[in-house]
Amino acid sequence: MVKDIFEQIGIFIEKNTILILAIAAILILLSFAGAQRIEMASGIETFEEKESHLYQDFDLLYRQYFGTLAIVVMVESGDVTAPEVLHAIDRLDTGISGTKNVVEVVNLATMVRQANLRGSGRDRIPDDQSAVRSLIDSIPEHQREIVLPDTRHTAVYVTMPARATDPEMIDLLADVEDVVELASFPPGYKVIVTGEPAFYVAMQDEMKSSMGPLLLIASLLMVVVLFIAFRHARWRLLPLPIVIIGIVWTFGAMGFLGIPLTIVSLSAFPILIGLGIDYAIQFHNRIEEEFARSKDVKKAVSETVRHTAPAVMIAVIITGLGFVSLSTSTVPMIRDFGLLCLIGIICCFFSALFIGITVIHSLHRNKNNSQNRKQKNERTINKNVDGAAEQIFGSIAVWSARNPLLVLGVAGSLCFAGLYADTMIGIETDVKEFMPPDMPALIDIDHMIVVLGGIDQLNLIVKADDVADPSVLEWMDRFAAHEVESHPYIFGADSIVGPMKMMNQGVLPEDAAGVDAIMESMPESTKDRYIYGGTTALINLGIGDAMSGLGLPRVDRLTRLVKDDVRWTHPPPGVAVTITGNPVALTTVFEALTTGRRMMTFVGLILILGGLFLLNRDWLKAIVPVLTMTLVIGWSGGVMYLLGMDYTPMTATLGALILGIGSEYAVMMMERYFEERENGLVPIDAIRVSTGKIGVAILASGCTTLAGFSALIASPFSINRNFGIVTVIDVLLALIASFFVFPVLVVWLDGWREKRKARRGVVTQGVQKVGAI
């Protein structure tokens, strides 16, 4: 029935070439419109799903009320306490303070002016160096060290709301850079604009700029593969533009469906080129065979679609099920990657089916006879080459099938060793580690962390009927001091208690009247930084550069310890404390890349196993390809361990991808094997003939996939580059497993099933004879 449906589709294609090409052109135009709607994503939303409890705490309790981001302007390479430097910083402050989305500008110049105002009543920066030094010494140390780690470095913090949109962040960053130029810092001083906003804007620019080169490299690699592996066909480069049309459609769907472009989804397009080319080659190769076999063009087209489309569709389904399993991940960027790849292979399939066959059909009707004579000569040469390759692949399969203990022993041992090594592979989620090491924005933010220290925090949201109640303030002060003293990874604490004590001679007021008096005289910007609505307060626990220094597992353990301390220090009745912050919200990523990664692989295994069984209605045809690729998953863990790579949101998808992509090779061999079995060959002869005949095609298919993944090795992002290296090796391992392990499994299980059927037949005949007697 399926073949009959596709035969009708083939007839439709042959009769409606102009209509199909017109529809394709319209879809391309729509795709260009959709591509304009693609948005970049690089924040915490790409790691943590918005519906999760941790994200809700971070977004609704912290980011909406208190969260800020800081563009940091670093001034260095000289004595930064010099009056002329402070005057330039003051000009920078004046120029940027009134800009939209600027919450506050924290800098040394303002602190010096305020100190001078308190001491002499003059709101200005002295021109005398010694006077400036004296004023700097009068600034409380906990304030001074924020902007002045030493006399050769100072920082200006331009803070903005954390809820600011990407366009607003980009606009403010541009404004800061312009004002820095206008501030006229003295010659010889180096001024760097950095901080998280600058880093993320630069990262998005790098992602945009790397997309084109990756696609170009993937396309060039495909040209090489097509010239080598597809040399016998006319219009040998045609599969490339056909698959590019599918990629264009994918871009359009990405925009219309709101799938963001992340550092992970960036890898999807070279992968899709590798997979899509394979689909186009299958149709191209078959229609060329049909044209050579028959002069009836209509029959050639319908026969091509009838016989090739179902097989390619099965490959799409099996690969797609691997991508579907990624939807079980709790990491949004992994789910988006799986969805994008699923849409992409469907678009490439339809492009190969409709556009590819339509174009070849049109070209064939206007074919050049001299080209056909040349093609016949090339086919004669290739027959000799293919004959030698057939013998080699057939011999490999027979050798493997006759040495099952050796092959399975080695394969199984390596699999178990790889699975064990997999448990010792680390987890990497620090975005900075994924960036090109020579990216200026990365160098700048790393330098900032070295000079100023890390800026990661645990943010504690304190809820009470009145957070300004003296008992609540006393607990906040006691708790913060306890955390700094007890935990070496907590470097400091910051809350409303600090400004309040500073305004009250270093102690907290003892009664509500004293608290109210101080709160009335406190600047609104200070109160807004720590208190919202009188019922919500903020405690910041500084943990330095936690993502690089501690890592998510230790951040998670530290968070649990702080939670225990909250209970142990007995907050006043009615006080509720929620621990949140960027590092806390990301702790679930660790679980997603460990147990979640294994769950994705397990789900992929079940989906592909079930899909193969539904398609074939035969347990042997379902289990053999999955068993073959399961061994490769174990080998892959060993490869990553030996290469010293960590699991990232990209490499976490490897298990599911290996099952989806690698199973295609085993399925192709299996179908051909059972075709030979139906022709009357015994298992050992069937595996020799089938592997010999289809070996070259599988190798060519593997080469196209390898070329697509190989393009990722040229990515400037280490997360994509490492993924490309491992997947190239894994595809090679999948090909090795298909040629060596698959023959053992299919011959052994098929032979076992045949013997079992024979025994049942003997028993049945015996029972019938007894009944007859």
Side-chain angles (χ1 to χ4, degrees):
M1 183 183 297
V2 173
K3 288 189 175 182
D4 291 341
I5 293 173
F6 277 111
E7 184 177 2
Q8 293 302 313
I9 292 175
I11 294 172
F12 172 82
I13 292 172
E14 195 278 328
K15 291 182 177 179
N16 298 274
T17 55
I18 296 177
L19 174 63
I20 290 171
L21 294 177
I23 293 174
I26 293 171
L27 290 176
I28 289 172
L29 293 176
L30 289 174
S31 297
F32 281 123
Q36 302 301 314
R37 304 173 63 173
I38 296 175
E39 296 182 352
M40 307 286 290
S42 56
I44 190 174
E45 292 83 0
T46 62
F47 285 93
E48 183 69 35
E49 53 188 345
K50 294 182 178 180
E51 294 77 17
S52 71
H53 178 68
L54 282 176
Y55 181 85
Q56 293 291 321
D57 286 345
F58 174 71
D59 187 49
L60 299 179
L61 294 180
Y62 170 69
R63 188 157 63 176
Q64 295 296 329
Y65 294 161
F66 306 107
T68 58
L69 293 172
I71 298 173
V72 182
V73 181
M74 291 187 63
V75 184
E76 56 184 24
S77 300
D79 185 357
V80 295
T81 64
E84 58 269 24
V85 175
L86 296 183
H87 283 301
I89 293 175
D90 194 43
R91 289 191 291 271
L92 170 61
D93 185 348
T94 303
I96 202 66
S97 292
T99 305
K100 181 182 177 182
N101 288 314
V102 173
V103 175
E104 186 180 19
V105 181
V106 180
N107 60 84
L108 181 61
T110 299
M111 292 182 183
V112 169
R113 287 176 54 182
Q114 290 173 347
N116 196 23
L117 180 63
R118 288 193 298 267
S120 65
R122 289 178 292 181
D123 185 11
R124 60 181 293 272
I125 298 170
D127 293 326
D128 180 62
Q129 178 72 49
S130 60
V132 169
R133 287 289 180 88
S134 178
L135 291 171
I136 290 174
D137 291 339
S138 70
I139 300 171
E141 183 178 358
H142 72 276
Q143 285 186 309
R144 185 176 66 240
E145 65 185 8
I146 294 174
V147 296
L148 188 69
D150 56 66
T151 58
R152 295 188 62 82
H153 299 88
T154 188
V156 179
Y157 297 89
V158 181
T159 59
M160 69 175 75
R163 59 182 178 274
T165 63
D166 284 353
E168 289 173 338
M169 187 187 301
I170 293 170
D171 290 342
L172 181 55
L173 180 62
D175 290 340
V176 170
E177 290 172 342
D178 291 340
V179 174
V180 165
E181 292 294 328
L182 296 174
S184 301
F185 282 87
Y189 286 87
K190 183 179 181 182
V191 182
I192 303 170
V193 180
T194 182
E196 286 191 10
F199 173 73
Y200 281 111
V201 169
M203 182 176 72
Q204 292 184 355
D205 290 341
E206 188 74 25
M207 287 166 59
K208 291 177 184 176
S209 63
S210 65
M211 173 71 77
L214 279 181
L215 291 176
L216 178 61
I217 291 170
S219 299
L220 291 176
L221 288 172
M222 288 303 163
V223 169
V224 174
V225 170
L226 290 172
F227 263 111
I228 295 173
F230 207 43
R231 61 189 183 277
H232 60 280
R234 297 175 296 173
W235 315 298
R236 67 183 69 176
L237 296 182
L238 182 60
L240 183 57
I242 297 301
V243 76
I244 287 176
I245 291 174
I247 298 296
V248 171
W249 292 349
T250 305
F251 269 112
M254 187 180 180
F256 286 122
L257 294 176
I259 302 173
L261 181 63
T262 66
I263 195 170
V264 172
S265 60
L266 189 69
S267 300
F269 298 101
I271 292 172
L272 291 175
I273 289 178
L275 296 175
I277 282 282
D278 186 31
Y279 307 151
I281 286 176
Q282 299 294 336
F283 284 110
H284 194 145
N285 199 48
R286 183 58 183 256
I287 198 170
E288 286 282 68
E289 290 182 9
E290 294 297 334
F291 284 148
R293 184 180 297 121
S294 172
K295 294 182 179 180
D296 189 340
V297 175
K298 295 181 180 179
K299 183 179 179 181
V301 172
S302 62
E303 286 296 303
T304 295
V305 178
R306 175 183 174 85
H307 294 288
T308 306
V312 176
M313 185 180 69
I314 290 174
V316 172
I317 291 172
I318 298 304
T319 305
L321 289 174
F323 292 136
V324 167
S325 68
L326 302 184
S327 64
T328 62
S329 174
T330 58
V331 180
M333 69 168 76
I334 293 179
R335 293 202 304 268
D336 290 337
F337 172 72
L339 178 59
L340 183 60
C341 288
L342 179 63
I343 293 171
I345 60 173
I346 293 172
C347 289
C348 289
F349 170 72
F350 282 118
S351 178
L353 173 60
F354 288 98
I355 311 303
I357 291 180
T358 298
V359 171
I360 295 172
H361 172 229
S362 300
L363 291 172
H364 180 75
R365 288 187 302 187
N366 301 296
K367 64 180 182 284
N368 185 292
N369 291 329
S370 63
Q371 184 183 15
N372 290 336
R373 287 194 296 270
K374 179 182 177 182
Q375 191 70 28
K376 289 178 181 178
N377 294 333
E378 289 182 354
R379 285 176 181 168
T380 301
I381 296 171
N382 289 330
K383 282 182 180 179
N384 297 328
V385 176
D386 292 343
E390 184 175 330
Q391 290 182 353
I392 293 172
F393 285 117
S395 300
I396 291 173
V398 169
W399 180 87
S400 299
R402 287 176 174 169
N403 295 275
L405 294 179
L406 175 61
V407 173
L408 293 181
V410 172
S413 298
L414 291 175
C415 177
F416 284 115
L419 292 174
Y420 175 74
D422 183 81
T423 62
M424 297 183 284
I425 297 175
I427 305 293
E428 182 58 75
T429 56
D430 185 1
V431 175
K432 294 194 293 294
E433 295 297 322
F434 302 154
M435 298 298 107
D438 58 348
M439 189 172 84
L442 177 62
I443 295 172
D444 289 343
I445 198 169
D446 283 343
H447 176 64
M448 181 196 76
I449 291 171
V450 170
V451 174
L452 302 176
I455 57 175
D456 289 332
Q457 296 176 333
L458 299 182
N459 307 116
L460 280 68
I461 307 299
V462 180
K463 287 275 193 176
D465 292 336
D466 181 11
V467 292
D469 185 279
S471 64
V472 177
L473 294 173
E474 186 277 330
W475 174 83
M476 291 171 62
D477 187 30
R478 176 165 49 87
F479 172 79
H482 176 270
E483 295 308 289
V484 174
E485 292 173 3
S486 303
H487 303 294
Y489 294 116
I490 296 179
F491 304 107
D494 184 27
S495 70
I496 191 66
V497 170
M500 192 170 287
K501 291 171 72 174
M502 187 174 64
M503 297 174 67
N504 195 48
Q505 299 180 343
V507 296
L508 284 172
E510 296 181 355
D511 54 28
V515 171
D516 290 342
I518 292 176
M519 292 292 285
E520 287 179 4
S521 61
M522 186 179 293
E524 288 296 325
S525 60
T526 303
K527 287 189 287 188
D528 291 343
R529 193 187 310 161
Y530 300 112
I531 292 179
Y532 180 82
T535 60
T536 307
L538 173 68
I539 301 175
N540 295 319
L541 300 179
I543 56 177
D545 187 19
M547 298 304 294
S548 297
L550 291 178
L552 284 182
R554 288 184 179 178
V555 170
D556 185 45
R557 285 197 293 271
L558 181 60
T559 303
R560 295 176 188 275
L561 290 174
V562 173
K563 285 181 180 179
D564 291 340
D565 290 345
V566 169
R567 291 190 293 268
W568 181 80
T569 53
H570 301 294
V575 172
V577 181
T578 301
I579 303 177
T580 183
N582 195 66
V584 177
L586 287 175
T587 53
T588 55
V589 179
F590 180 76
E591 182 178 356
L593 299 186
T594 51
T595 55
R597 167 174 53 85
R598 299 183 187 103
M599 177 57 70
M600 281 192 298
T601 303
F602 179 74
V603 170
L605 188 149
I606 296 300
L607 287 174
I608 293 172
L609 187 65
L612 286 172
F613 182 78
L614 291 175
L615 289 169
N616 296 293
R617 303 291 181 177
D618 186 331
W619 67 265
L620 193 150
K621 291 183 178 181
I623 200 172
V624 170
V626 173
L627 278 178
T628 303
M629 291 306 122
T630 301
L631 290 170
V632 179
I633 292 173
W635 300 349
S636 177
V639 168
M640 285 195 62
Y641 177 77
L642 292 174
L643 293 176
M645 293 182 178
D646 293 331
Y647 275 114
T648 67
M650 276 256 59
T651 50
T653 65
L654 281 173
L657 292 184
I658 291 168
L659 283 170
I661 297 172
S663 294
E664 177 189 346
Y665 308 140
V667 168
M668 290 168 63
M669 291 184 66
M670 182 183 64
E671 293 294 331
R672 194 59 184 257
Y673 169 82
F674 282 103
E675 182 180 334
E676 299 301 331
R677 289 282 283 134
E678 290 173 3
N679 291 335
L681 296 181
V682 297
I684 195 69
D685 289 335
I687 196 65
R688 175 180 55 79
V689 174
S690 61
T691 306
K693 288 182 177 179
I694 203 170
V696 174
I698 290 177
L699 185 62
S701 176
C703 287
T704 59
T705 306
L706 282 172
F709 282 112
S710 296
L712 295 174
I713 300 175
S715 172
F717 297 99
S718 63
I719 184 175
N720 303 129
R721 186 169 58 252
N722 290 344
F723 176 73
I725 293 170
V726 177
T727 47
V728 164
I729 296 173
D730 285 348
V731 171
L732 287 172
L733 293 176
L735 289 171
I736 291 171
S738 298
F739 289 125
F740 286 90
V741 177
F742 172 82
V744 175
L745 292 175
V746 74
V747 169
W748 176 58
L749 289 175
D750 188 26
W752 174 80
R753 183 167 67 173
E754 192 175 59
K755 291 177 182 177
R756 191 171 177 220
K757 286 180 179 179
R759 285 197 301 269
R760 283 184 178 179
V762 172
V763 172
T764 302
Q765 290 177 3
V767 171
Q768 290 175 348
K769 289 179 180 179
V770 171
I773 293 172

